[in-house]
């Protein structure tokens, strides 16, 4: 199964990274959060996560993770924790306020397969201009989280994700082919030769 996806791995990576329009944080944390609180990291941690919202997403798609703690510094460390309460208070040693964000995983049936499928579906709106920049950035960031976790082997034992993968890869490839044609027609030609 993994061999099949590697042939389409670039498809997802291209789809995810081709949507980046701005460097601002698109994904907001959902639900109750506490600032300057940290979580345990008994499930693990991830460095260089772009935002607390992406840390929350990483927790949501990780089996056994119930809460997260995100450090707002150059390392951008995301703690993944099985607890449902903060581990400790933190004090900020820099000018960054807040220096930590703690919160719970996303609820409501959110999982890696649903994020992947929604991302592919939303990507059909890229060249029509009906996808807002903020939504496109969130989509790109979400897909990058999924692709990275898949590449690290994080979904190898998640049957709901792995069984969905062949159809998702085929659909993503079809979207890219169709969107490439639409974008080429929309953004190239004698009067717009440098836009695509």
């Amino acid at each position: 199964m993994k061999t099949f996806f590697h042939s389409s791995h670039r498809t997802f990576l291209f789809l995810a990274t081709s949507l980046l329009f701005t460097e601002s944080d698109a994904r907001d944390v959902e639900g109750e959060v506490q600032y300057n609180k940290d979580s345990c990291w008994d499930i693990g941690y991830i460095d260089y996560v772009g935002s607390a919202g992406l840390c929350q997403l990483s927790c949501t798609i990780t089996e056994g993770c119930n809460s997260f703690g995100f450090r707002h510094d150059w390392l951008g460390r995301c703690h993944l924790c099985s607890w449902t309460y903060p581990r400790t208070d933190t004090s900020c040693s820099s000018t960054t306020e807040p220096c930590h964000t703690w919160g719970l995983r996303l609820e409501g049936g959110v999982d890696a397969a649903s994020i992947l499928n929604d991302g592919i579906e939303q990507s059909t709106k890229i060249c029509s201009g009906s996808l807002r920049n903020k939504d496109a950035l969130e989509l790109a960031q979400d897909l990058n989280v999924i692709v990275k976790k898949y590449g690290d082997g994080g979904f190898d034992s998640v049957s709901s994700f792995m069984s969905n993968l062949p159809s998702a890869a085929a659909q993503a490839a079809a979207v890219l082919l169709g969107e490439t044609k639409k974008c080429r027609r929309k953004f190239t030609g004698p009067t717009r030769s440098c836009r695509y």
Side-chain angles (χ1 to χ4, degrees):
M1 186 79 71
K2 197 162 187 161
T3 305
F4 170 82
F5 185 63
H6 278 297
S7 66
S8 297
H9 189 101
R10 286 187 217 123
T11 299
F12 284 115
L13 192 56
F14 175 77
L15 184 61
T17 57
S18 67
L19 300 174
L20 294 173
F21 296 117
T22 175
E23 294 180 7
S24 67
D25 172 26
R27 176 170 278 287
D28 296 321
V29 176
E30 296 177 29
E32 181 185 334
V33 296
Q34 296 180 32
Y35 297 105
N36 299 328
K37 304 274 187 188
D38 199 5
S39 74
C40 69
W41 54 91
D42 62 336
I43 303 295
Y45 65 88
I46 308 166
D47 288 336
Y48 309 112
V49 175
S51 69
L54 291 175
C55 184
Q56 183 181 41
L57 177 65
S58 296
C59 176
T60 301
I61 63 173
T62 301
E63 190 174 334
C65 185
N66 292 312
S67 67
F68 68 93
F70 177 74
R71 282 184 13 193
H72 296 266
D73 62 8
W74 64 273
L75 188 59
R77 180 164 284 176
C78 174
H79 290 168
L80 306 175
C81 181
S82 63
W83 303 358
T84 56
Y85 51 89
R87 180 179 69 88
T88 186
D89 291 340
T90 58
S91 60
C92 298
S93 60
S94 68
T95 58
T96 304
E97 281 284 340
C99 54
H100 283 84
T101 298
W102 177 90
L104 297 171
R105 66 182 286 129
L106 295 169
E107 296 299 329
V110 177
D111 65 4
S114 67
I115 292 167
L116 180 61
N117 292 336
D118 184 55
I120 293 168
E121 182 181 323
Q122 292 299 315
S123 67
T124 61
K125 301 174 183 177
I126 296 168
C127 286
S128 68
S130 60
L131 190 65
R132 296 177 321 155
N133 287 356
K134 182 177 178 5
D135 295 335
L137 178 59
E138 183 175 321
L139 169 63
Q141 290 173 333
D142 290 357
L143 289 176
N144 276 320
V145 168
I146 300 292
V147 168
K148 180 175 180 351
K149 187 166 180 75
Y150 173 80
D152 292 341
F155 293 123
D156 289 352
S157 63
V158 181
S159 61
S160 62
F161 182 82
M162 296 305 286
S163 64
N164 180 57
L165 207 49
S167 62
Q171 186 180 0
V175 167
L176 280 175
L177 180 62
E179 288 300 298
T180 298
K181 288 177 183 177
K182 278 190 224 173
C183 287
R184 193 171 287 134
R185 281 192 301 271
K186 184 174 180 177
F187 295 113
T188 62
T191 60
R192 299 177 295 272
S193 59
C194 294
R195 292 187 63 193
Y196 181 69

